[in-house]
Amino acid sequence: FNHINMPDNRVHHRRKHSYSTLSNRTKNVRTPGGRLVAQYIKKSTKARHCGNCKVRELQGVPRVVAADTPQHKRTVNRAYGGSVCAGCVKEKVVRAFLI
């Protein structure tokens, strides 16, 4: 029984939160020094949807956490860009000129 050459695959959480929840998922990563450490996995985000019709995903807006990205990357160069889809903007403009 040679216990010196056995690999140690046990990993500690780096944060105090110990429960196996969606916000506490980890993957084991081997460092260049040969240690095995836990890396925390970020949650995946849903795509931003149109504020008017609530159905269509907004084109040109990345699926990222809003706090982590600057404002100029979260908008589209159009009226109501980044909050209302192009079809709803077109509908608004046509309705405004008809009335």
Side-chain angles (χ1 to χ4, degrees):
F1 188 84
N2 190 358
H3 59 67
I4 296 169
N5 294 333
M6 285 177 61
D8 191 15
N9 292 328
R10 292 171 295 183
V11 166
H12 282 288
H13 283 289
R14 293 170 138 183
R15 302 173 187 161
K16 290 181 179 179
H17 184 204
S18 62
Y19 297 106
S20 177
T21 59
L22 197 63
S23 64
N24 203 32
R25 291 182 305 153
T26 60
K27 71 175 181 181
N28 297 342
V29 175
R30 183 83 55 189
T31 62
R35 291 189 322 131
L36 196 67
V37 294
Q39 267 189 0
Y40 286 90
I41 302 166
K42 276 195 169 184
K43 288 184 187 177
S44 60
T45 57
K46 283 195 256 181
R48 306 241 320 253
H49 290 274
C50 173
N52 196 12
C53 67
K54 311 277 195 274
V55 176
R56 282 177 264 185
E57 294 181 359
L58 295 179
Q59 298 292 314
V61 180
R63 300 175 69 148
V64 289
V65 178
D68 295 347
T69 52
Q71 179 68 34
H72 69 89
K73 289 188 177 176
R74 289 183 275 140
T75 60
V76 182
N77 210 357
R78 178 176 62 235
Y80 300 100
S83 60
V84 178
C85 67
C88 291
V89 172
K90 184 179 176 183
E91 197 176 295
K92 260 183 200 255
V93 170
V94 169
R95 197 181 316 126
F97 278 108
L98 290 177
I99 293 173

